[in-house]
Amino acid sequence: MIINIDKTSRISFFLNLFKNLKVLAIMLRFKHFEKRAFTDSIRLKKLFKDFYPELVKDNVGNTVCTSCKLCEEICPTNAIQIEKANMVNFPSTLETGEAPLKFNLKVDDCVTCGLCVNVCYVDAIVLTKKYKVSKVDLVSVGNN
């Protein structure tokens, strides 16, 4: 069997060149996505910077919250804890129910993602407040 070494070296050169170009293209694409993800995270941090949840009050000063606990369930860091007077009775619908006794927010754990605002059916939570303490009861904040 006769092999022309000159031809195989050219073929292997082009194969190696093609593989290297492929790897380079993948690396450049990864760098592009990495840069885009970094700039998007900076934009999100600027958008939600230091804005924490606050309960919406009605005209009388009572909270609109119905203690459905959806915000507590969806919170990724468990920063929200709701205590209500009658823990056994669940609201018959999400739009009626008793107001919470305590709506505790751990400010240090809150990442201001806004999931609690998005999940609230009665629009009882908004991201507008800044707090100087690490744990706050949102029910009694407006009453002081």
Side-chain angles (χ1 to χ4, degrees):
M1 174 158 73
I2 301 172
I3 300 175
N4 189 350
I5 296 176
D6 191 35
K7 288 185 179 179
T8 58
S9 64
R10 281 191 223 152
I11 292 173
S12 64
F13 170 76
F14 285 116
L15 287 176
N16 286 335
L17 180 66
F18 180 71
K19 286 179 187 176
N20 290 337
L21 287 175
K22 212 173 178 183
V23 169
L24 182 64
I26 291 171
M27 288 175 56
L28 288 174
R29 196 174 313 148
F30 178 74
K31 283 290 186 188
H32 170 70
F33 287 125
E34 182 182 355
K35 182 180 176 185
R36 197 166 89 192
F38 180 72
T39 56
D40 286 348
S41 68
I42 289 174
R43 287 182 192 153
L44 281 175
K45 285 180 183 176
K46 286 181 182 177
L47 184 64
F48 293 112
K49 186 177 180 184
D50 294 335
F51 288 118
Y52 296 100
E54 177 188 17
L55 287 179
V56 175
K57 310 277 183 179
D58 60 4
N59 296 339
V60 182
N62 298 327
T63 63
V64 181
C65 179
T66 59
S67 301
C68 67
K69 292 193 164 199
L70 286 175
C71 54
E72 182 178 356
E73 292 293 324
I74 202 164
C75 183
T77 60
N78 296 326
I80 296 175
Q81 295 173 348
I82 298 174
E83 296 177 21
K84 55 186 207 176
N86 201 355
M87 295 299 277
V88 177
N89 294 336
F90 294 103
S92 57
T93 67
L94 290 174
E95 298 183 1
T96 61
E98 59 184 308
L101 286 177
K102 292 185 179 180
F103 193 106
N104 293 323
L105 173 70
K106 296 179 197 167
V107 178
D108 293 339
D109 293 343
C110 182
V111 292
T112 62
C113 62
L115 290 174
C116 55
V117 176
N118 292 335
V119 78
C120 187
Y121 284 99
V122 292
D123 296 327
I125 304 173
V126 290
L127 290 177
T128 56
K129 274 287 198 178
K130 296 181 182 182
Y131 301 108
K132 295 181 180 176
V133 293
S134 62
K135 187 175 180 181
V136 63
D137 182 14
L138 297 180
V139 173
S140 64
V141 165
N143 297 338
N144 292 345

